[in-house]
Amino acid sequence: MLIIGERINATSKRVAEAIGQRDASFLQELARQQVDAGAHYLDVNAGRGQGSEQEEVDLKWAIDTVQAATDVPLSIDSSDPRAIKAALAHYRGNAAIINSVNAEEGTLAALLPLALQHQADVIALTMDDSGVPKDVEGRLRACDRILERAAAYGVPLERIFLDPLALPLSVDTNQGMVTLRTLEQIRTRYPQAKTTLGLSNVSYGLPLRGVINRALLLMAMYVGLDSVILDPLDARLMAHIKAAQVVLGRDPFCKGYLNDYRKGRLRE
Amino acid sequence: MLIIGERINATSKRVAEAIGQRDASFLQELARQQVDAGAHYLDVNAGRGQGSEQEEVDLKWAIDTVQAATDVPLSIDSSDPRAIKAALAHYRGNAAIINSVNAEEGTLAALLPLALQHQADVIALTMDDSGVPKDVEGRLRACDRILERAAAYGVPLERIFLDPLALPLSVDTNQGMVTLRTLEQIRTRYPQAKTTLGLSNVSYGLPLRGVINRALLLMAMYVGLDSVILDPLDARLMAHIKAAQVVLGRDPFCKGYLNDYRKGRLRE
């Protein structure tokens, strides 16, 4: 399973300060730590709420800074297609992830051609401009729309990571099963497409959030989730992922689990 | 999901000593703690390796002792059908669990009539006298045999808890999926029958055993496991079970989860 490290995100006050002060060593240390902990990709979000032009400059600087410290590909994360476009042109290497599109036509028209041009993968949220559908069928309609547009633009479905979206269970306890059933249906209906999951929303408003996050993730892994966006410095969460790989028969002789244990990467 | 508390078991040295010394308060405290922590049933195993007659006497004493302290039904646990027979005759109430039978004809012939007579539930291991089948089909053949005999003896299939059996992943990493696929198949083929799982074998020989146990259990809960045999005093394991109930939409308004959290029963 692909781990996308979420820590370099300007919604974190400390990260926003580091970007504002051009504190390269802080960002690079956070990059290296996540890679050491097992991240296969690093998400980079530089949106500090200071406008589109500033975000573009900040994002390019953050990408340069992180790429100087690690070799892992990046997930370029912005709600502004112009910032993503500028960042992709700036990015070195050809395996970036665009984070993210949804079923809204404007975003698809802006970002799918870039995905084709840069051979980038694309995280696609199963929602549209009217918000997150509350039921499985609504989210699958968003998938239909996204994959139809991807095909029209010539982006291979293998490059699309559909996110079935986890909403807070504190607001609606049906939403866990909506997420998991959406994931099941995606696996059945669109076997070529990949899947991903932004995990942490699910536990918003509940105590012991990590336990709720792990419960959803382990079930999603059983259903066949391909990748996940999370904090790889959470050694307890990483331990459960590695244990799940063992249970699912994807870690021959438990070699990966035992290796990570010996390196102190796992926590009970 | 039904929680069967496993702690009153003479394979634990401390429990064996308490039974030998007729230390009622030790057993009763262990019973009350498990019920307070959320156990719906308590397993009682008094086999100290001192022969059949001694086990029968010990088991009857242990049952009396536990029943004097709590009202929850018991799972009467012995490899000796004679001890189970004597214990069932002695037991007060009519909702005991017989733990356990397997597909071996002698055990079925000895215990299924007792299940009928005492209206007891039965835990049935999906194995026979030649051992645990290594594949799904072998375990399902054991299920066929057990359920065919149950029907012949007039025991309702709703009273049979089939255990798909978890073998150590340290020996064979395929066994996690064998357990989960067996559970899926049981749910499809025998929708009337119940399921249970003895959890702790799966992690034998691996570090951070609790993490492995939780990974298997959460996936099994997604597949539809009805009950589990475990240590309810493990607050971390119980937290994951309660979180799984929330994710599966079985805890309206997260009431059970929040209540257990406030009572200090859950641990991150």
Side-chain angles (χ1 to χ4, degrees):
Chain A
M1 192 162 80
L2 291 179
I3 308 287
I4 305 169
E6 72 182 9
R7 290 292 294 272
I8 302 177
N9 193 311
T11 56
S12 146
K13 194 168 164 250
R14 188 65 195 82
V15 170
E17 281 171 8
I19 291 171
Q21 296 160 5
R22 296 295 187 256
D23 181 351
S25 63
F26 179 84
L27 243 60
Q28 291 177 337
E29 181 60 20
L30 204 47
R32 277 188 290 261
Q33 284 176 348
Q34 291 182 90
V35 173
D36 287 346
H40 305 103
Y41 282 81
L42 294 180
D43 192 72
V44 178
N45 179 317
R48 295 186 292 140
Q50 306 200 345
S52 182
E53 278 175 44
Q54 184 64 48
E55 182 174 349
E56 194 179 310
V57 175
D58 287 349
L59 187 56
K60 287 199 279 190
W61 174 79
I63 286 171
D64 278 344
T65 303
V66 172
Q67 289 207 296
T70 76
D71 290 329
V72 302
L74 303 186
S75 158
I76 298 173
D77 183 357
S78 174
S79 56
D80 182 350
R82 277 175 305 179
I84 291 183
K85 182 177 184 175
L88 281 169
H90 194 72
Y91 177 79
R92 298 185 302 277
N94 63 2
I97 298 176
I98 294 172
N99 185 9
S100 60
V101 302
N102 59 51
E104 194 262 313
E105 180 57 31
T107 327
L108 293 170
L111 293 174
L112 288 173
L114 293 174
L116 183 65
Q117 181 189 341
H118 294 280
Q119 297 180 44
D121 292 333
V122 181
I123 291 175
L125 310 180
T126 57
M127 58 182 284
D128 56 27
D129 33 345
S130 62
V132 179
K134 291 288 176 292
D135 59 359
V136 176
E137 283 311 313
R139 293 188 200 177
L140 292 173
R141 276 195 297 275
C143 293
D144 286 339
R145 179 83 189 142
I146 291 160
L147 296 179
E148 183 262 307
R149 299 311 287 154
Y153 279 103
V155 177
L157 300 197
E158 291 79 1
R159 289 209 170 275
I160 308 291
F161 283 76
L162 296 165
D163 183 336
L165 297 176
L167 295 186
L169 293 164
S170 57
V171 177
D172 177 2
T173 43
N174 292 318
Q175 285 299 319
M177 282 310 288
V178 171
T179 302
L180 292 163
R181 294 293 184 220
T182 300
L183 185 61
E184 275 186 2
Q185 288 297 315
I186 289 172
R187 298 270 305 168
T188 307
R189 292 196 198 185
Y190 323 108
Q192 285 178 284
K194 302 287 200 312
T195 52
T196 194
L197 188 60
L199 196 58
S200 50
N201 265 349
V202 72
S203 57
Y204 179 81
L206 290 175
L208 305 182
R209 293 186 61 172
V211 181
I212 300 277
N213 294 347
R214 295 196 285 273
L216 178 66
L217 179 58
L218 292 183
M219 293 179 190
M221 287 181 72
Y222 182 72
V223 175
L225 187 70
D226 297 297
S227 70
V228 62
I229 306 167
L230 52 70
D231 177 8
L233 304 185
D234 179 343
R236 203 168 263 160
L237 180 54
M238 292 299 280
H240 284 79
I241 292 172
K242 297 300 174 132
Q245 301 280 40
V246 173
V247 170
L248 292 169
R250 296 181 196 154
D251 184 1
F253 307 106
C254 311
K255 239 172 131 171
Y257 182 80
L258 293 169
N259 186 46
D260 280 0
Y261 172 71
R262 282 188 210 106
K263 286 187 175 160
R265 288 176 173 178
L266 309 183
R267 190 170 157 220
E268 168 94 43
Chain B
M1 192 162 81
L2 292 178
I3 308 285
I4 305 168
E6 71 182 9
R7 289 292 294 272
I8 301 176
N9 192 310
T11 56
S12 144
K13 193 168 166 252
R14 188 67 195 79
V15 170
E17 280 171 11
I19 291 171
Q21 296 160 6
R22 294 295 185 257
D23 181 350
S25 63
F26 178 85
L27 243 61
Q28 291 177 336
E29 181 60 19
L30 203 48
R32 276 189 290 260
Q33 283 175 347
Q34 291 184 90
V35 173
D36 288 346
H40 305 102
Y41 282 82
L42 295 179
D43 192 72
V44 178
N45 179 317
R48 297 187 290 141
Q50 306 200 346
S52 183
E53 278 176 44
Q54 184 64 47
E55 181 174 348
E56 193 178 312
V57 176
D58 287 347
L59 186 57
K60 288 198 279 190
W61 174 80
I63 286 171
D64 279 344
T65 303
V66 172
Q67 288 207 296
T70 77
D71 290 329
V72 302
L74 304 187
S75 159
I76 297 172
D77 183 358
S78 173
S79 56
D80 182 350
R82 277 175 304 179
I84 290 182
K85 182 177 185 174
L88 280 168
H90 194 71
Y91 177 80
R92 298 185 301 279
N94 63 2
I97 298 176
I98 294 172
N99 186 7
S100 60
V101 303
N102 59 51
E104 194 262 315
E105 181 58 31
T107 327
L108 292 169
L111 293 174
L112 288 172
L114 294 174
L116 183 67
Q117 180 189 342
H118 295 279
Q119 298 179 44
D121 292 333
V122 181
I123 291 174
L125 310 180
T126 56
M127 59 182 283
D128 56 28
D129 34 345
S130 61
V132 179
K134 291 288 176 290
D135 59 0
V136 176
E137 282 312 312
R139 291 188 201 176
L140 292 173
R141 276 195 298 275
C143 292
D144 286 339
R145 178 83 188 144
I146 291 160
L147 295 179
E148 182 263 307
R149 300 310 288 153
Y153 279 104
V155 177
L157 300 198
E158 291 80 1
R159 288 208 170 276
I160 308 291
F161 283 75
L162 296 165
D163 183 337
L165 298 176
L167 296 187
L169 292 166
S170 57
V171 177
D172 177 1
T173 43
N174 292 318
Q175 284 300 319
M177 283 309 289
V178 170
T179 302
L180 291 163
R181 295 290 184 222
T182 301
L183 185 60
E184 275 185 1
Q185 289 297 314
I186 289 171
R187 298 271 304 169
T188 308
R189 292 198 199 183
Y190 323 107
Q192 285 180 284
K194 300 289 199 311
T195 52
T196 194
L197 187 60
L199 197 57
S200 50
N201 266 349
V202 71
S203 58
Y204 178 80
L206 290 175
L208 305 182
R209 293 187 61 172
V211 181
I212 300 276
N213 294 347
R214 295 196 285 272
L216 177 67
L217 178 58
L218 292 185
M219 293 179 192
M221 287 180 72
Y222 182 72
V223 176
L225 188 71
D226 297 298
S227 70
V228 61
I229 307 166
L230 51 71
D231 176 9
L233 304 186
D234 179 344
R236 202 167 264 161
L237 180 55
M238 293 299 279
H240 284 79
I241 292 172
K242 296 302 173 130
Q245 301 280 41
V246 173
V247 171
L248 292 168
R250 297 181 194 154
D251 183 1
F253 308 105
C254 311
K255 239 172 133 169
Y257 183 78
L258 293 170
N259 185 46
D260 280 0
Y261 172 71
R262 283 189 210 104
K263 286 187 176 159
R265 287 177 174 178
L266 310 184
R267 190 171 156 218
E268 167 96 42

